[in-house]
């Protein structure tokens, strides 16, 4: 090595001095240094494979971000549908966390409720229910989601369908409760709560009328803001989008799934509009129903979506096509949950076939050009 | 426009020592010089216990095969030749020299008398070999052998000053304080290869160094300064070549196969020293940092100096030490021995407490977030590799190109589930290689004894 005598003899520049951390004015004597150093030396040094540093992000910080991003939609839900929303949400989250805790205790597994992923599941389930469902439904749904869909398949990251969505579909075993929607601002009447017996439709969702090729009464503006009937968390496209932007900014999700999903629905419903106003029809399709909630929060669920960007686009398009197909030809007005669940089952194949070509996998001379 | 590559990660730089001038470490009382600080054969000692040696004197030679001679880094008396476990568990003989403080230079050290123009390629290679120079970025491949094997195939020489690992600033300081040595060393290499153009690649977090180089090289048509975007692992040879040339170096190939040869900045400076002063490689710049050390700094350290001496020289520890890492935090090796020593490949020594690791108390779980996939510069799917490897599915690991992994650690770093991905991958690679070797051996066996089938 070349010596740099000139540099070494000059004292540190003022600038360098300022950047040398923790330089005390009077350096310790060698004895002091040695004594202090020995006091901090461990008996054995830790030997571990590299890398020796890690990102500060953890699964928990990511799940917390998801919870935060769902808050605007939840608060809006409370505003539009009343305090009962909060009760349902607390039940759903409480039973989700509680059942995970009990299951893991019973199975003598490490308890993982602190990773907040169950809170997300509970929240998403509540947001996917109509406000008029009886109180036992979120409880049953949450237990089903956590025990059957998540834990029996090995826990976090190993389930291959989205727990909240699977639970929602499971709850469709009581279709009367699940497809009764309250109009915004309505006081929940006793009748609406006893809906299974009386079969009254309290409020028609815009989607239901779209299914028949009729543009809904709800104005586009109301649909975007979220002043319409529907599930608790799905009504306000605007606030859901805000949550999505938060997740994008925090790099929790990438744009691929939401954009390809919503884009596909927009395009297909525009081309195959059931109305003479294709553009209005397509806009009403994307802003009504559970599309925003599904595309931003449910389809992007890590465990059940592809890991490559390419795969995510394919997956989003697949969800979009299936959604439109079910909305047009299926028995229910809504197709988001089913299409995401179907695509969930294909994730492994999508991942496998969207496996990127490894670096240098192309021939050298081709790559050089 | 800055050059860059796909994938990779942004890490907190922690370049605390960015503005710390390189200080010459007061010579330690004794040094313990390993006879193998490079890839290849171990050197054989040519001194005995009790001999008096001069600074720069040859104390170990390579008898046959690939390897670098070893020189004394201080003057003094050989007190022991002992076997010691290196960080990788290999037993390596060390020559221990008690420093007599006289700094007596060996009489063999004299400048190469001829001008560069009159020096042939063979002579340059011999100078580099005799000076014991091996890659100083960490890989420690003998430099003379690298040049020999690349001769005739190379059209671009790249000096790697990316220094993409956090904490390390040794190359940065070298470029600021002694750019001539790097530039001149590069010119020697260009002469050896018979090339007229070459590149020095620096990440854009070192703009002061870039300016300095550009000022020195105004009007030079021979050496170009290339600005790289700051991203880990830009300093990986493959990513560097890709960023500058767009060529993807496939697994199992050498840079020369795509017409490139990459040298570390400090290696260039060492080559210049060997040429200009006849000084063999006996000291190097080491960044000392980490949250446990009182006074992080850049030190010019004689090879063979122990970590303990370095600790004391840097104000000692200020919190409970957990790990000593030799090299950067991403690819460096954690040491089991606080008396381990600085070798030719030690670019940094980091003293970490428990805090630096960002431990997460939950059991490691893949949540399938896909961050590792986006981070992988080799475009692999680390999450699947880790899963398959943990389940022992080696065929599937191979199908997902586990062999292409360069172990850069980007995936493990970025994993929020704290899955030790690289650890799994290393294990799988090891098993696959073992199996291949076994198969090759079986095949060779059956060919030798065909009748046995
Ligand atoms: S970064 Fe970690 S949690 Fe995310 S997909 Fe990769 S292994 Fe799984
Ligand atoms: S899989 Fe290998 S090459 Fe890819 S990021 Fe991980 S360590 Fe680096």
């Amino acid at each position: 090595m070349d010596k740099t005598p000139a540099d070494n003899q000059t004292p540190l520049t003022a600038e360098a001095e300022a950047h040398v951390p923790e330089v005390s004015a009077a350096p310790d004597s060698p004895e002091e240094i040695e004594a202090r150093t020995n006091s901090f030396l461990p008996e054995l040094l830790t030997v571990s494979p590299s890398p020796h540093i890690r990102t500060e992000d953890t699964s928990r910080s990511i799940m917390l971000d998801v919870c935060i991003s769902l808050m605007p939609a939840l608060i809006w839900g409370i505003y539009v549908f009343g305090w009962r929303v909060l009760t349902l949400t607390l039940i759903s989250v409480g039973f989700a966390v509680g059942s995970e805790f009990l299951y893991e205790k019973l199975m003598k597994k490490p308890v993982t409720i602190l990773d907040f992923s169950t809170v997300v599941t509970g929240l998403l389930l509540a947001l996917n229910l109509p406000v008029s469902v009886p109180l036992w439904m979120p409880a049953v749904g949450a237990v089903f989601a956590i025990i059957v869909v998540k834990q029996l398949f090995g826990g976090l990251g190993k389930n291959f369908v989205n727990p909240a969505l699977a639970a929602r579909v499971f709850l469709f075993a009581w279709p009367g409760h699940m497809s009764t929607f309250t109009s915004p601002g309505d006081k929940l009447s006793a009748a609406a709560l006893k809906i299974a017996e009386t079969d009254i439709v309290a409020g028609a969702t815009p989607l239901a009328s779209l299914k028949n090729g009729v543009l809904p009464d709800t104005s586009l503006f109301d649909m975007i803001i979220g002043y319409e009937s529907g599930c608790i968390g799905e009504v306000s496209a605007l606030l859901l989008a805000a949550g999505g932007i938060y997740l994008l900014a925090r790099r929790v999700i990438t744009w691929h799934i939401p954009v390809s999903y919503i884009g596909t629905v927009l395009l297909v419903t525009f081309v195959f509009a059931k109305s003479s106003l294709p553009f209005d029809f397509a806009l009403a399709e994307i802003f009504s129903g559970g599309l925003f909630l599904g595309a931003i929060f449910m389809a992007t669920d890590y465990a059940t979506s592809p890991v490559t960007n390419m795969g995510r686009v394919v997956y989003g398009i697949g969800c979009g096509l299936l959604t439109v197909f079910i909305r047009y030809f299926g028995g229910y007005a809504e197709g988001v949950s089913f299409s995401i669940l179907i695509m969930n089952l294909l994730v492994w194949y999508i991942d496998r076939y969207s496996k990127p070509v490894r670096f240098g996998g192309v021939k050298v001379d081709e790559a050089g050009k | 426009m800055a050059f860059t590559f796909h994938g990779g990660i942004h890490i907190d730089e922690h370049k605390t020592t960015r503005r710390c001038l390189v200080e010459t470490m007061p010579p330690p009382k004794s040094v313990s010089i390993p006879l193998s600080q490079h890839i290849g054969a171990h050197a054989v000692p040519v001194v005995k216990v009790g001999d008096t040696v001069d600074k720069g004197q040859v104390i170990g030679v390579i008898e046959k095969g690939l390897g670098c001679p070893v020189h004394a880094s201080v003057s003094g008396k050989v007190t022991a030749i002992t076997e010691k476990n290196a960080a990788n568990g290999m037993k390596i003989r060390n020559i221990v020299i008690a420093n007599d403080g006289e700094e007596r230079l060996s009489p063999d050290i004299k400048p190469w008398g001829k001008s560069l123009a009159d020096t042939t390629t063979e002579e340059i290679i011999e100078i580099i070999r005799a000076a014991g120079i091996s890659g100083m970025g960490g890989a420690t491949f003998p430099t003379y052998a690298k040049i020999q094997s690349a001769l005739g195939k190379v059209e671009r020489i790249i000096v790697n000053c990316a220094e993409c690992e956090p904490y390390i600033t040794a190359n940065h300081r070298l470029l600021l304080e002694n750019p001539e040595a790097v530039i001149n060393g590069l010119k020697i290499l260009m002469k050896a290869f018979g090339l007229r153009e070459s590149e020095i690649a620096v990440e854009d977090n070192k703009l002061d160094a870039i300016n300095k180089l550009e000022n020195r090289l105004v009007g030079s048509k021979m050496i170009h300064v290339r600005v790289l975007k700051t991203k880990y692992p830009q300093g990986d040879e493959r990513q560097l070549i890709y960023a500058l040339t767009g060529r993807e170096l496939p697994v199992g190939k050498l840079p020369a196969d795509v017409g490139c040869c990459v040298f570390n900045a400090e290696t260039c400076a060492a080559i210049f020293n060997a040429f200009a002063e006849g000084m063999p490689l006996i000291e190097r710049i080491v960044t000392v940092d980490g949250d446990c050390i009182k006074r992080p700094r850049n030190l010019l350290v004689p090879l063979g100096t122990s970590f303990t001496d370095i600790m004391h020289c840097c104000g000692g520890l200020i919190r409970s030490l957990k790990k000593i890492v030799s090299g950067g935090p991403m690819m460096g090796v954690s040491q089991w021995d606080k008396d381990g020593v600085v070798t030719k490949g030690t670019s940094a020594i980091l003293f970490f407490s428990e805090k630096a690791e960002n431990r997460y108390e939950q059991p490691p779980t893949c949540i399938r977030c896909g961050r590792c996939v986006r981070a992988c510069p080799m475009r692999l799917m680390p999450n699947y590799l880790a899963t398959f490897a943990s389940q022992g599915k080696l065929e599937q690991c191979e199908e997902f190109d586990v062999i292409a992994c360069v172990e850069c650690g980007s995936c493990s770093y970025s994993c929020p589930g704290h899955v030790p991905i690289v650890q799994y991958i290393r294990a799988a690679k090891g098993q696959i290689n073992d199996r291949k070797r076994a198969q090759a051996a079986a095949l060779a066996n059956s060919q030798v004894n065909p009748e046995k089938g």
Side-chain angles (χ1 to χ4, degrees):
Chain A
M1 250 328 299
D2 194 62
K3 295 222 197 84
T4 47
D7 280 332
N8 282 320
Q9 279 152 20
T10 45
L12 295 185
T13 57
E15 193 196 21
E17 197 76 67
H19 280 83
V20 177
E22 313 204 32
V23 190
S24 57
D28 303 322
S29 71
E31 292 75 34
E32 274 164 11
I33 291 180
E34 190 162 348
R36 175 159 43 78
T37 301
N38 287 341
S39 75
F40 286 124
L41 272 180
E43 212 140 280
L44 282 174
L45 289 170
T46 306
V47 178
S48 61
S50 60
H52 305 286
I53 49 173
R54 275 185 184 285
T55 165
E56 283 173 13
D57 288 351
T58 57
S59 309
R60 178 189 307 156
S61 70
I62 289 178
M63 294 303 162
L64 270 175
D65 269 340
V66 178
C67 293
I68 293 171
S69 68
L70 283 168
M71 283 308 128
L74 178 64
I75 292 169
W76 179 258
I78 297 175
Y79 169 72
V80 174
F81 298 117
W83 286 106
R84 190 184 161 81
V85 165
L86 193 61
T87 319
L88 291 173
T89 309
L90 290 178
I91 292 176
S92 173
V93 172
F95 271 82
V97 175
S99 56
E100 172 146 304
F101 179 79
L102 280 180
Y103 180 87
E104 285 173 339
K105 273 281 173 219
L106 285 177
M107 303 305 282
K108 304 216 171 13
K109 290 178 161 196
V111 171
T112 57
I113 50 170
L114 283 179
D115 66 21
F116 275 83
S117 62
T118 31
V119 178
V120 171
T121 303
L123 261 177
L124 284 175
L125 175 64
L127 294 181
N128 268 299
L129 298 175
V131 69
S132 54
V133 293
L135 296 182
W136 59 264
M137 283 188 87
V140 170
V143 174
F144 178 83
I146 297 303
I147 305 295
V148 179
V149 186
K150 185 178 170 190
Q151 290 296 351
L152 289 185
F153 284 98
L156 179 61
K158 305 220 173 56
N159 48 297
F160 55 83
V161 292
N162 184 321
L165 276 183
R168 180 183 190 214
V169 169
F170 170 70
L171 293 179
F172 267 108
W174 296 271
H177 290 303
M178 288 300 286
S179 30
T180 307
F181 297 104
T182 311
S183 294
D186 268 10
K187 286 276 158 297
L188 282 176
S189 60
L193 287 175
K194 281 203 206 95
I195 206 67
E197 300 143 38
T198 53
D199 218 14
I200 303 166
V201 175
T205 62
L207 259 190
S209 59
L210 282 171
K211 185 160 179 73
N212 303 321
V214 184
L215 285 179
D217 299 337
T218 322
S219 73
L220 193 60
F221 180 76
D222 276 353
M223 282 194 257
I224 295 176
I225 294 288
Y227 212 70
E228 59 182 327
S229 56
C231 293
I232 293 168
E234 71 182 20
V235 286
S236 175
L238 186 71
L239 293 177
L240 290 167
I245 287 168
Y246 174 78
L247 291 182
L248 280 176
R250 301 276 300 161
R251 295 174 190 273
V252 172
I253 61 171
T254 59
W255 58 266
H256 302 83
I257 293 175
V259 169
S260 60
Y261 192 168
I262 298 174
T264 304
V265 173
L266 183 70
L267 196 73
V268 178
T269 50
F270 177 74
V271 173
F272 300 102
K274 287 196 199 168
S275 148
S276 53
L277 295 166
F279 196 59
D280 294 14
F281 181 81
L283 284 181
E285 280 279 357
I286 63 165
F287 288 123
S288 61
L291 184 59
F292 270 64
L293 182 61
I296 298 172
F297 296 97
M298 317 288 277
T300 54
D301 169 41
Y302 287 150
T304 55
S305 63
V307 290
T308 63
N309 291 344
M310 185 53 203
R312 287 173 175 176
V313 171
V314 172
Y315 173 87
I317 294 175
C319 285
L321 292 176
L322 282 171
T323 300
V324 179
F325 185 83
I326 298 173
R327 281 186 179 181
Y328 276 28
F329 305 112
Y332 288 103
E334 181 54 292
V336 170
S337 308
F338 291 106
S339 42
I340 296 176
L341 285 177
I342 294 171
M343 292 306 289
N344 282 170
L345 301 175
L346 301 178
V347 163
W348 159 245
Y349 299 96
I350 296 177
D351 264 354
R352 197 184 159 109
Y353 291 105
S354 68
K355 181 164 86 74
V357 180
R358 73 165 141 71
F359 186 89
V362 241
K363 275 221 197 87
V364 179
D365 23 18
E366 285 168 25
K369 300 272 147 65
Chain B
M1 221 279 300
F3 296 89
T4 192
F5 63 99
H6 301 300
I9 47 177
H10 297 276
I11 315 178
D12 271 352
E13 291 180 6
H14 286 290
K15 304 250 186 198
T16 332
T17 53
R18 191 172 51 204
R19 292 177 210 273
C20 300
L21 293 170
V22 177
E23 298 160 87
T24 306
M25 180 175 172
K29 290 207 184 65
S30 82
V31 293
S32 169
I33 302 173
L35 282 165
S36 171
Q37 309 178 27
H38 50 260
I39 293 175
H42 293 198
V44 179
V46 290
V47 290
K48 301 183 303 297
V49 175
D51 281 3
T52 304
V53 294
D54 298 337
K55 188 172 174 178
Q57 181 183 333
V58 177
I59 53 174
V61 295
I62 301 294
E63 285 177 335
K64 65 173 193 297
L66 177 74
C68 293
V70 176
H71 305 78
S73 57
V74 295
S75 61
K77 204 168 183 179
V78 177
T79 54
I81 299 180
T82 55
E83 244 175 27
K84 229 170 120 176
N85 278 328
N88 59 6
M90 212 166 45
K91 279 209 184 325
I92 290 179
R93 269 201 283 181
N94 280 19
I95 297 185
V96 184
I97 304 172
N99 188 358
D100 60 11
E102 286 177 26
E103 299 282 301
R104 211 171 341 97
L105 270 191
S106 153
D108 300 339
I109 296 177
K110 46 184 179 294
W112 175 250
K114 289 194 248 174
S115 75
L116 183 56
D118 298 334
T119 313
T120 64
T121 302
E122 286 68 39
E123 283 166 332
I124 294 176
I125 291 178
E126 177 49 29
I127 293 172
I128 294 175
R129 194 201 60 77
I133 298 173
S134 62
M136 294 171 77
T140 63
F141 191 79
T143 304
Y144 80 93
K146 181 165 168 174
I147 301 176
Q148 268 173 349
S149 69
L151 273 185
K153 294 190 222 163
V154 172
E155 42 194 86
R156 306 172 79 142
I157 306 181
I158 303 167
V159 178
N160 184 355
C161 310
E163 205 161 54
C164 56
E165 284 251 21
Y167 292 96
I168 311 182
T169 58
N171 279 355
H172 185 182
R173 290 314 307 178
L174 174 68
L175 288 182
L176 278 176
E177 294 174 30
N178 200 359
E180 261 76 33
V182 179
I183 293 171
N184 289 335
L186 175 56
K187 285 184 179 156
I188 296 169
L189 284 169
M190 287 162 68
K191 170 75 168 87
F193 282 104
L195 292 179
R196 313 209 127 269
E197 278 189 78
S198 64
E199 293 154 283
I200 301 183
V202 192
E203 274 191 351
D204 60 6
N205 59 357
K206 296 179 258 296
L207 286 178
D208 46 355
I210 294 170
N211 280 339
K212 191 134 192 176
L213 281 175
E214 274 172 348
N215 287 341
R216 299 292 155 118
L217 295 168
V218 170
S220 162
K221 292 211 180 56
M222 293 172 55
I223 300 178
H224 308 280
V225 181
R226 304 279 191 229
V227 182
L228 303 164
K229 274 204 193 135
T230 302
K231 188 163 68 166
Y232 181 84
Q234 179 63 77
D236 176 50
E237 236 167 37
R238 289 168 205 277
Q239 305 307 333
L240 184 66
I241 293 173
Y242 175 77
L244 294 183
T245 68
R247 293 175 203 172
E248 291 191 1
L249 180 57
V251 190
K253 297 273 184 187
L254 292 173
D257 297 325
V258 289
C260 296
C261 206
V262 182
F263 294 92
N264 170 274
E266 217 176 330
T267 313
C268 290
I271 291 173
F272 172 65
N273 287 334
F275 187 85
E277 296 170 33
M279 185 59 95
L281 179 52
I282 55 170
E283 54 189 4
R284 66 159 300 149
I285 305 177
V286 177
T287 299
V288 185
D289 204 338
D291 58 345
C292 287
I293 204 81
K294 179 161 187 197
R295 192 182 187 284
R297 62 212 293 202
N298 283 304
L299 286 179
L300 187 63
V301 182
L303 299 181
T305 305
S306 78
F307 298 155
T308 308
D309 286 340
I310 288 179
M311 256 188 274
H312 290 167
C313 174
C314 294
L317 300 177
I318 48 171
R319 20 180 103 73
S320 294
L321 182 68
K322 176 126 191 274
K323 255 191 211 179
I324 300 180
V325 175
S326 156
M330 291 300 289
M331 293 188 76
V333 181
S334 64
Q335 307 286 317
W336 59 270
D337 180 8
K338 67 181 170 27
D339 291 319
V341 295
V342 172
T343 63
K344 292 172 183 174
T346 312
S347 49
I349 301 171
L350 305 173
F351 298 89
F352 284 136
S353 72
E354 200 146 9
K355 218 174 61 195
E357 263 175 279
N358 272 335
R359 286 192 76 83
Y360 179 46
E361 69 283 8
Q362 300 279 311
T365 313
C366 173
I367 55 170
R368 289 183 44 93
C369 64
R371 293 185 184 202
C372 53
V373 179
R374 262 168 291 145
C376 180
M378 299 304 287
R379 294 198 299 259
L380 309 178
M381 293 174 101
N383 60 323
Y384 283 115
L385 292 176
T387 312
F388 295 146
S390 65
Q391 299 167 347
K393 295 183 181 159
L394 293 185
E395 282 76 28
Q396 260 158 325
C397 282
E398 277 188 279
E399 188 194 332
F400 278 71
D401 296 314
V402 71
I403 296 299
C405 170
V406 295
E407 299 179 16
C408 68
S410 305
C411 48
S412 289
Y413 176 87
S414 52
C415 176
H418 285 199
V419 180
I421 307 175
V422 189
Q423 217 173 316
Y424 284 127
I425 291 180
R426 277 198 199 109
K429 279 167 80 172
Q431 286 166 9
I432 290 173
N433 285 337
D434 287 351
R435 189 189 282 188
K436 284 218 177 103
R437 233 171 279 134
Q439 276 167 357
L443 195 69
N445 240 343
S446 66
Q447 277 164 349
V448 176
N449 309 315
E451 65 277 12
K452 278 189 197 158

